Structure formats: structure tokens, C-alpha cells
């Protein structure tokens, strides 16, 4: 996260950072503590900033969507908190924008759909509002 913040204009740093976060938070057995730590470090904000800075770089978009999906994968209170933080960071809009900009990129489409599914899922009180926000963004 620190590298992503320090080098916002480097697409390779943004791609590598998103990929690292996706891998760290993609271990579903160890995921919740890692997701919490990543969120606390500002990972959602860093990933979204990278996606916004490099909208035409498919690798940054795919890695960003994968990271967002994996950071929001929990079904517990930690997962709900991560989903809400993702929404506040603009992650829903970033995922939709990535998918719209890269219609022919299978990885962007796959991980964008997964990110939206993870961010909008849940039975918490805010789930319906997240779904509505995704629809408003064009999902």
C-alpha cells in the first residue's frame, strides 16, 4: 500500500500492488485478519486511486478488481465492514468503469463481476444500498 501511494504514476507499481493485495487477501483460510489489516492500511483507497490513475491499463484494472473482490470476500462482520469501506472508497464505481473500459478483456470482466458480487453481497443493513449504488454506477 505504501508503494502504491509513493508511486501513483507507475502503472507497474499499481499492478504489482493490486496483485500482491489480491494474493494476500485471497487465502480464504487466513483472509479475515489480512483483509482487516489491508483495509486499515488504506488498501481500498490505494487500489481505487491506482485504477482511476491508469484507466486504460488493463493489467492495473484486472489486478485492482481482483484485490477488491478478495478484500471483500468475507460473510462475517469483518466482510461487511470491508464492503462498506470499499463503497466509501469508490470501489463500486471503479470496478464498473474498469469493465466498461475493457469490454474485451476477459480477466477484467471476470474479476470486475466478482468484485461487484462480493461488494454488494451480504445480509447486513447496508447491502441493499450497495446494490443500488452498483446499479446507479451502471452495473
Amino acid at each position: 500500500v505504501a508503494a502504491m501511494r509513493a508511486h501513483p504514476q507507475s502503472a507497474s507499481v499499481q499492478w504489482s500492488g493490486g496483485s500482491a493485495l489480491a494474493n494476500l487477501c485471497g487465502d480464504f483460510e487466513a483472509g479475515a485478519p489480512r483483509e482487516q489489516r489491508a483495509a486499515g492500511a488504506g488498501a481500498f483507497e490505494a487500489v481505487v486511486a491506482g485504477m482511476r490513475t491508469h484507466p486504460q491499463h488493463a493489467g492495473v484494472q484486472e489486478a485492482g478488481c481482483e484485490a477488491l473482490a478478495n478484500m471483500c470476500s468475507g460473510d462475517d462482520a469483518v466482510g461487511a465492514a470491508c464492503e462498506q469501506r470499499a463503497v466509501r472508497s469508490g470501489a463500486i464505481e471503479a470496478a464498473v468503469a474498469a469493465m466498461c473500459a475493457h469490454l474485451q478483456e476477459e480477466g477484467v470482466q471476470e474479476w470486475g463481476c466478482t468484485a461487484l458480487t462480493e461488494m454488494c453481497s451480504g445480509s447486513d443493513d447496508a447491502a441493499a444500498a450497495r446494490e443500488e449504488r452498483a446499479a446507479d454506477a451502471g452495473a
Side-chain angles (χ1 to χ4, degrees):
V1 173
M4 293 174 81
R5 285 190 188 138
H7 304 282
Q9 298 304 319
S10 172
S12 63
V13 170
Q14 299 306 309
W15 174 81
S16 295
S19 295
L21 287 165
N23 288 333
L24 288 169
C25 296
D27 179 351
F28 300 113
E29 291 180 19
R34 291 178 183 179
E35 292 165 10
Q36 256 183 324
R37 190 167 180 187
F44 287 109
E45 295 80 4
V47 167
V48 169
M51 292 174 75
R52 287 181 179 157
T53 302
H54 303 281
Q56 297 307 314
H57 193 289
V60 170
Q61 300 305 309
E62 181 177 346
C65 286
E66 184 178 2
L68 294 172
N70 289 350
M71 289 189 292
C72 292
S73 63
D75 292 332
D76 55 7
V78 172
C82 286
E83 290 161 5
Q84 285 304 108
R85 181 135 187 191
V87 170
R88 287 193 303 274
S89 74
I92 287 175
E93 293 81 2
V96 171
M99 294 176 70
C100 289
H102 299 280
L103 294 171
Q104 301 304 315
E105 295 289 338
E106 183 179 343
V108 175
Q109 297 300 311
E110 176 186 354
W111 284 109
C113 287
T114 304
L116 290 169
T117 298
E118 294 295 345
M119 287 187 279
C120 295
S121 67
S123 58
D124 58 297
D125 293 339
R130 291 192 301 270
E131 291 174 6
E132 185 173 329
R133 188 162 174 168
D136 290 345

